[in-house]
Amino acid sequence: EVVLTQSPGTLSLSPGERATLSCRASQSVSSTYLAWYQQTPGQAPRLLIYGASSRATGIPDRFSGSGSGTDFTLTISRLEPEDFAVYYCQQYGSSPLFTFGPGTKVDIK
Amino acid sequence: QLQLQESGPGLVKPSETLSLTCTVSGGSISSNNYYWGWIRQPPGKGLEWIGSIYYSGSTYYIPSLKSRVTISVDTSKNQFSLKLSSVTAADTAVYYCARQSILYWCFDYWGQGALVTVSS
C-alpha cells in the first residue's frame, strides 16, 4: 500500500507570500498519476494539478507542481486571500488504487 | 459544463444500508475516457476513495470496504450509485461523487457532496 505523507500539517503565511507544500510517498509513484486538490470549508475538493505538474483548466499560474519518485511539491508563488485552504495530494498505484494524503492547511498568519 | 449531483437519505440507522445516487448532467456517463468514483470525508477529517465504476460496469473498490460496497451504473439515466451495507457511526461522512480521468487517474469534476449521518 502506498502511503502519502504531507508536510507541514499547517502552514501559516501572509497574503503575497510563497507557499511550499510537500507530499512524500512511501514508495515510488509515477509522476503521471500524482495530483493535487484544494478544498475550502464547506466545498468539494477542486483539482489543481494533475500529472505532477500540469495545471487543471482554469487554475491560475501562481500554482505549480513538481517532483518525481517519492517526493512531490506544490508551490503557490504569491498567496491570494482565496488560496487559504486545505491542500491534498493523491496518487494512483498499487492497492488501494487511489489514496490521498492527510492534507496541509494553509492559514492566514 | 459537466455537473454531478449526489442524492439520497441524509440519515441512516446503524446496521442498515446507505444508498446514494449521483446524477451526471452536461456530459455522458458512457464516455470511453472516464471512470466515475465515490469518495468520502468524515467530519473534520481527510478524503478516502471508496470505489469507481466504468460505464460498462467494471468496478474497483477499496479493499477495506469491499465486502460492504456495491457501485452500479445506469447509463439510460446517466447515473451511478453507491450502496454501503451494515453501516456504523464510523461511516458518517460527506460522500462525494466525482469523474475520474483514465489518462491521469485524477478526479477532475466533483459533486457538491452529501452528508450522511449514521444514527438511531
Side-chain angles (χ1 to χ4, degrees), chain A residues 37 39 44 88 90 95 97-98, chain B residues 41 60 63 96 100 105 107 111:
Chain A
Y37 302 83
Q39 187 178 34
Y88 296 95
Q90 173 251 316
S95 180
L97 286 180
F98 305 97
Chain B
Q41 185 173 36
Y60 296 106
Y96 296 101
Q100 272 181 283
W105 288 114
F107 302 93

Side-chain angles (χ1 to χ4, degrees), chain A residues 4 6 8 12 14-15 19 26 32 39 50 61 67 69 84 86 89 94 104:
Chain A
L4 298 178
Q6 292 187 243
S12 296
S14 301
S26 59
T32 303
Q39 187 178 34
Y50 63 92
D61 61 6
F84 292 92
V86 180
C89 56
S94 56
T104 290

Side-chain angles (χ1 to χ4, degrees), chain B residues 37-115:
Chain B
W38 288 97
I39 302 101
R40 68 180 181 178
Q41 185 173 36
K45 295 188 178 181
L47 300 163
E48 179 181 50
W49 169 73
I50 299 169
S52 302
I53 191 165
Y54 195 55
Y55 75 92
S56 64
S58 174
T59 53
Y60 296 106
Y61 299 129
I62 189 170
S64 59
L65 295 176
K66 189 174 183 178
S67 63
R68 298 196 290 131
V69 173
T70 301
I71 297 176
S72 58
V73 64
D74 186 337
T75 55
S76 68
K77 295 182 178 179
N78 229 31
Q79 294 176 335
F80 61 108
S81 298
L82 169 71
K83 291 189 185 298
L84 181 65
S85 64
S86 305
V87 297
T88 69
D91 296 310
T92 293
V94 175
Y95 286 77
Y96 296 101
C97 60
R99 188 181 80 170
Q100 272 181 283
S101 157
I102 287 178
L103 279 179
Y104 296 98
W105 288 114
C106 59
F107 302 93
D108 59 0
Y109 281 90
W110 295 65
Q112 65 185 25
L115 174 61

